[in-house]
């Protein structure tokens, strides 16, 4: 092998960060070659290094330390093996050689995600697929990435993502099956409770009528009897007949109110556990929201005011069971936020805002993608006057809506987002402002 005297520093392979790779991994986590050569150096010297280091993909060209470009092993060797190539270029400076083989270079910062870099590679012409990538690690510092290494790692990441997606899908199927079984169980229990409630409710009217008739009968005896026995008078005093006559109506009214509330609660529980069919069906969204509000009343305990401003909505074709889950998720989050704020205000004498949740429904029109056409939507806005969400937390919620950024534990808002968008073709928007509150808006297309 011919030796050359050269001041070129030998190439160094930087191994990158030793951490598990994922969809957000960047180029700085991959092995990068540090091999910079002045353009005044002879092409034969670089070819000698390529011969000594067979895995070296190329060289970074600099002029007095300033980045000028990149020459790959493949392009230089192709030039030298041409007829008369060695005679013409072997002893030429790299600047001259580079002017003959200059190609389009993919230059990326080291913070570029690996999958994004792979997309950039695919945009090149097929003849340039094997060219290494120039990675900028700092101002005026450049490294080389072997495209084969990038290709292997990107396929590994996609394989990991596919496996995680399959595991998450299987876990979701198991969870859905559990929830469906639980829904059927709760629906059966609610049905068993509803039967005796209906029995009580149905007989209350008769009991009220019978008691009034008996009271009328006793009053008639008292009026028409000239001499009431001492025993009867003593018995009336003992049972406090006058109070009994007055309180009996109140007791029956209380029983009726309790039975009515229990009946509504059980029916709301049945509607919440409703198992949707294959196709959407028309449903009353206001009734659905009322049922959810009734179910969460036990958590509110009078500490949170709920204001409803309902517009005129027609029956909406939807999967009402899934929408019930969405309303429950959003309202539960608002309740949790306001209850936490109420606890904080107990230690803050200056806090004077009463916790409030406002539910507004309306039919709105928005311009469609086709100019001049408008689409009609059902809008359900759920607003609270809590402390609001920080920018970091808002970004975390937005990331949870993305399929590519799902966490291992899926949030209730992420589930709600997919129910609204994927199952109903709608939209779930939200905005929040610190010290003002948070608003979620559900938009459902009106057919």
């Amino acid at each position: 092998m011919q030796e050359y005297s050269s001041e070129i520093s030998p190439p160094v392979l930087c191994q990158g960060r030793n951490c598990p790779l994922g969809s957000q991994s960047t180029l700085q986590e991959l092995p990068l070659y540090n091999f910079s050569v002045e353009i005044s150096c002879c092409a034969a010297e670089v070819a000698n290094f390529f011969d000594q280091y067979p895995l070296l993909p190329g060289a970074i060209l600099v002029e007095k330390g300033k980045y000028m470009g990149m020459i790959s092993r493949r392009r230089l060797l192709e030039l030298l093996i041409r007829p008369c190539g060695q005679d013409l270029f072997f002893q030429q400076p790299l600047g001259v050689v580079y002017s003959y083989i200059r190609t389009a270079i993919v230059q990326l910062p080291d913070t570029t995600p690996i999958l994004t870099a792979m997309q950039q590679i695919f945009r090149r012409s097929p003849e340039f697929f094997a060219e290494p990538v120039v990675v900028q690690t700092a101002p005026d510092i450049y490294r080389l990435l072997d495209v084969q290494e990038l290709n292997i790692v990107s396929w590994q990441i996609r394989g990991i993502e596919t496996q995680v997606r399959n595991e998450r899908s299987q876990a979701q199927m198991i969870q859905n099956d559990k929830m469906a079984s639980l829904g059927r169980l709760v629906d059966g229990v609610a049905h068993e409770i509803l039967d005796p409630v209906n029995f009580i409710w149905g007989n209350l009217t008769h009991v009220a009528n019978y008691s009034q008739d008996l009271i009328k009968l006793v009053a008639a005896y008292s009026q028409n009897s000239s001499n009431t026995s001492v025993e009867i008078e003593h018995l009336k005093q003992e049972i406090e007949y006058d109070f009994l006559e007055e309180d009996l109506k109140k007791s029956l009214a209380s029983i009726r109110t309790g039975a009515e509330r229990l009946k509504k609660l059980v029916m709301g529980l049945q509607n919440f556990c409703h198992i949707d069919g294959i196709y959407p069906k028309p449903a009353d969204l206001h009734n659905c929201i009322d049922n959810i509000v009734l179910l969460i009343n036990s958590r509110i305990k009078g500490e949170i005011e709920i204001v409803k401003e309902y517009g005129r909505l027609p029956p909406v074709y939807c999967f009402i069971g899934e929408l019930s889950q969405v309303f429950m998720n959003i309202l539960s989050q608002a309740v949790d936020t306001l209850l936490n704020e109420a606890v904080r205000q107990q230690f803050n004498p200056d806090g004077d805002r009463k916790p409030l949740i406002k539910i507004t429904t309306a039919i709105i029109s928005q311009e469609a993608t086709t100019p001049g056409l408008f689409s009609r939507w059902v809008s359900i806005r759920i607003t609270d006057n809590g402390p609001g969400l920080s920018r970091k937390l808002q970004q975390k919620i937005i990331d949870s809506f993305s399929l590519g950024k799902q966490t291992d534990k899926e949030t209730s808002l992420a589930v709600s987002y997919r129910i609204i968008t994927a199952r109903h073709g709608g939209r779930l928007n939200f905005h929040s402002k610190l010290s003002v509150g948070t608003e979620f808006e559900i938009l459902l297309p009106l057919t």
Side-chain angles (χ1 to χ4, degrees):
M1 180 183 299
Q2 186 178 0
E3 297 293 338
Y4 298 92
S5 61
S6 172
E7 297 180 357
I8 301 175
S9 300
V12 177
L13 178 61
C14 306
Q15 291 296 336
R17 299 179 181 177
N18 186 17
C19 57
L21 296 176
S23 59
Q24 300 304 309
S25 297
T26 59
L27 297 180
Q28 58 192 345
E29 301 175 32
L30 301 181
L32 302 176
Y33 286 92
N34 180 11
F35 185 51
S36 299
V37 182
E38 287 285 337
I39 61 174
S40 58
C41 292
C42 180
E45 296 180 87
V46 177
N48 182 48
F49 275 99
F50 287 161
D51 190 35
Q52 294 182 43
Y53 299 91
L55 298 181
L56 186 62
I60 298 292
L61 302 183
V62 296
E63 184 177 15
K64 297 180 180 179
K66 183 179 179 182
Y67 171 77
M68 299 300 295
M70 180 274 298
I71 185 170
S72 68
R73 164 195 290 272
R74 178 188 175 195
R75 292 296 174 184
L76 179 59
L77 297 182
E78 284 180 351
L79 187 64
L80 294 179
I81 64 176
R82 290 179 182 178
C84 303
Q86 292 196 14
D87 296 334
L88 293 175
F89 301 107
F90 205 58
Q91 300 299 331
Q92 292 291 338
L94 284 175
V96 175
V97 176
Y98 184 58
S99 65
Y100 281 92
I101 60 175
R102 183 174 299 179
T103 59
I105 299 175
V106 174
Q107 178 181 324
L108 301 171
D110 61 353
T111 55
T112 305
I114 293 174
L115 297 182
T116 302
M118 201 63 205
Q119 292 176 356
Q120 296 284 345
I121 297 298
F122 284 142
R123 292 194 182 103
R124 298 194 296 187
S125 300
E127 59 180 315
F128 300 137
F129 276 171
E131 293 293 289
V133 179
V134 177
V135 180
Q136 184 176 8
T137 58
D140 298 327
I141 299 178
Y142 297 86
R143 302 287 184 265
L144 279 179
L145 172 62
D146 189 351
V147 73
Q148 184 66 19
E149 179 73 25
L150 178 62
N151 192 20
I152 293 174
V153 171
S154 66
W155 278 108
Q156 289 176 346
I157 293 175
R158 293 187 186 279
I160 294 172
E161 285 187 334
T162 301
Q163 182 181 357
V164 171
R165 192 178 297 112
N166 290 337
E167 291 176 354
R168 186 178 292 138
S169 177
Q170 292 177 1
Q172 187 64 39
M173 289 174 60
I174 295 173
Q175 182 66 18
N176 290 342
D177 184 66
K178 287 182 179 179
M179 293 304 297
S181 300
L182 181 62
R184 286 189 289 268
L185 178 62
V186 173
D187 182 67
V189 173
H191 183 74
E192 292 298 322
I193 297 174
L194 195 58
D195 281 345
V197 169
N198 287 332
F199 174 78
I200 296 172
W201 179 264
N203 286 283
L204 267 176
T205 302
H206 302 299
V207 173
N209 293 334
Y210 297 158
S211 61
Q212 293 302 313
D213 292 342
L214 290 175
I215 290 175
K216 289 179 182 178
L217 179 61
V218 172
Y221 268 112
S222 299
Q223 291 178 0
N224 296 326
S225 178
S226 56
N227 50 351
T228 306
S229 65
V230 177
E231 182 180 356
I232 293 177
E233 289 295 333
H234 178 72
L235 182 59
K236 291 176 67 175
Q237 292 178 2
E238 183 179 352
I239 65 174
E240 298 182 354
Y241 176 78
D242 294 337
F243 172 77
L244 185 149
E245 181 181 6
E246 180 181 353
D247 194 57
L248 181 60
K249 296 180 181 179
K250 296 180 180 179
S251 299
L252 291 173
S254 298
I255 295 173
R256 182 183 295 275
T257 302
E260 183 177 7
R261 179 174 177 80
L262 183 59
K263 185 177 180 181
K264 289 182 178 179
L265 185 62
V266 173
M267 292 182 67
L269 193 59
Q270 279 186 314
N271 292 333
F272 179 71
C273 297
H274 175 77
I275 300 176
D276 293 308
I278 301 177
Y279 303 103
K281 296 180 180 179
D284 184 352
L285 294 185
H286 291 161
N287 183 50
C288 177
I289 296 173
D290 291 339
N291 289 331
I292 301 302
V293 171
L294 185 63
L295 291 177
I296 65 174
N297 269 337
S298 60
R299 297 186 56 206
I300 293 175
K301 298 178 181 178
E303 297 185 19
I304 301 175
E305 181 182 0
I306 296 184
V307 177
K308 304 174 186 175
E309 294 184 358
Y310 288 164
R312 296 175 62 87
L313 298 185
V316 179
Y317 277 83
C318 61
F319 298 98
I320 193 62
E322 296 181 3
L323 281 185
S324 296
Q325 183 181 357
V326 172
F327 295 142
M328 175 66 79
N329 291 342
I330 296 177
L331 285 172
S332 295
Q333 172 155 318
V335 169
D336 290 339
T337 301
L338 292 176
L339 289 180
N340 292 336
E341 180 69 5
V343 172
R344 189 186 67 81
Q345 288 185 1
Q346 288 180 359
F347 302 97
N348 178 17
D350 297 332
D352 56 354
R353 286 198 305 168
K354 180 174 176 60
L356 173 69
I357 297 177
K358 186 177 180 181
I359 305 173
T360 308
T361 64
I363 295 178
I364 64 173
S365 295
Q366 292 186 348
E367 189 169 358
T369 54
T370 303
L373 297 180
F374 290 84
S375 55
R376 301 175 70 224
W377 301 79
V378 174
S379 169
I380 305 104
R381 289 186 288 123
I382 300 176
T383 309
D384 67 68
N385 64 343
L389 304 175
S390 64
R391 289 185 178 273
K392 183 177 180 181
L393 187 54
Q394 291 184 50
Q395 187 60 46
K396 187 176 180 180
I397 294 175
I398 293 174
D399 289 344
S400 71
F401 292 167
S402 172
L403 290 174
K405 298 184 178 180
Q406 288 186 17
T407 57
D408 293 335
K409 185 176 181 181
E410 197 168 32
T411 64
S412 60
L413 289 179
V415 173
S416 301
Y417 178 81
R418 273 178 276 287
I419 290 175
I420 295 298
T421 56
R423 292 285 284 169
H424 293 84
R427 304 172 188 169
L428 178 58
N429 305 320
F430 84 96
H431 64 271
S432 182
K433 188 175 182 180
L434 293 177
S435 303
V436 176
T438 304
E439 178 181 278
F440 285 89
E441 182 181 27
I442 300 169
L443 294 176
L444 300 174
L446 189 61
T447 56

